[in-house]
Amino acid sequence: EFFYALMQAYDAVALATDVQVGGTEQLFNLMAGRKLMEAMGLRPQVCLTLPILVGTDGHMRMSKSTGNAIAIAEPPEEQYGKVMSMPDEAMRNVAELVTRWTPAYIDQLLGQVASGALHPRDAKMALAFEIVDILHGSEAAERAQAHFARVFQQRTLPAAIPPLVLSAPTPLSEAIVAGGMAPSKSAARR
């Protein structure tokens, strides 16, 4: 851990950075870069830090490697469902960092949840709709919302389930790849 800060600081020196952007947990490393740049006779970089976006688990930072990410290129229905699966406590973080909503609107919405005037599920549905609308448009958001209501609230089957015909007994990981649900057997096993 000690060397990590020094190595990141030296990156700032080697690149002669003017501005470096990082998460709030990176402030020490960014400031180490400033100090090292001064020691090397360079103009110190400007450090910008941004809050961390929590992942679908509501606690750890959103990351593909931890499996708690909502990818920009995912289908709208999947994005909508992932937002709906997040813990209620993550709503403020996601609303503030991802949506087009004003701070006043976010405070009002979450205030209604806190007072019991609005069910957390309804606030989360508005959040999921907003995120899908930003990434895919309002028609896709409406379809994703209808899909979620049909599959998870009404517990009916999705409108279309593609068939997967297997000619012989097949290990599950191979069936997942054959069905196009994973790019490789190792990804299917994970």
Side-chain angles (χ1 to χ4, degrees):
E1 284 297 315
F2 174 73
F3 287 116
Y4 180 80
L6 290 177
M7 289 186 286
Q8 186 171 340
Y10 187 75
D11 279 348
V13 171
L15 296 171
T17 58
D18 293 320
V19 178
Q20 195 170 10
V21 179
T24 51
E25 87 286 0
Q26 293 290 316
L27 182 60
F28 178 82
N29 301 335
L30 298 173
M31 295 305 288
R34 279 183 61 87
K35 288 295 182 188
L36 192 56
M37 290 176 89
E38 283 177 335
M40 303 291 261
L42 297 171
R43 191 176 90 203
Q45 67 185 357
V46 173
C47 303
L48 297 176
T49 60
L50 302 169
I52 300 301
L53 178 63
V54 296
T56 54
D57 62 1
H59 303 289
M60 295 175 56
R61 74 178 1 209
M62 188 174 285
S63 168
K64 188 175 173 184
S65 61
T66 59
N68 70 352
I70 300 173
I72 292 173
E74 283 180 334
E77 294 79 12
E78 201 167 320
Q79 291 172 338
Y80 192 97
K82 285 183 175 182
V83 173
M84 292 301 294
S85 72
M86 295 178 106
D88 296 346
E89 301 79 41
M91 282 193 289
R92 178 170 294 279
N93 176 265
V94 174
E96 289 176 347
L97 298 178
V98 180
T99 69
R100 301 169 286 199
W101 295 343
T102 65
Y105 179 75
I106 294 168
D107 288 342
Q108 175 192 358
L109 183 72
L110 297 179
Q112 289 177 334
V113 170
S115 72
L118 182 66
H119 194 282
R121 178 202 61 235
D122 296 334
K124 210 180 297 181
M125 288 180 81
L127 180 61
F129 188 94
E130 169 70 2
I131 291 170
V132 174
D133 186 22
I134 290 168
L135 298 172
H136 298 282
S138 58
E139 287 181 20
E142 288 171 9
R143 282 193 312 273
Q145 191 169 44
H147 172 80
F148 183 84
R150 184 175 53 252
V151 174
F152 296 102
Q153 290 176 323
Q154 300 163 6
R155 303 212 185 274
T156 59
L157 292 175
I161 299 176
L164 175 62
V165 179
L166 302 172
S167 59
T170 307
L172 182 58
S173 59
E174 291 178 23
I176 290 172
V177 172
M181 295 176 275
S184 66
K185 287 193 280 186
S186 60
R189 281 190 294 274
R190 280 193 299 279

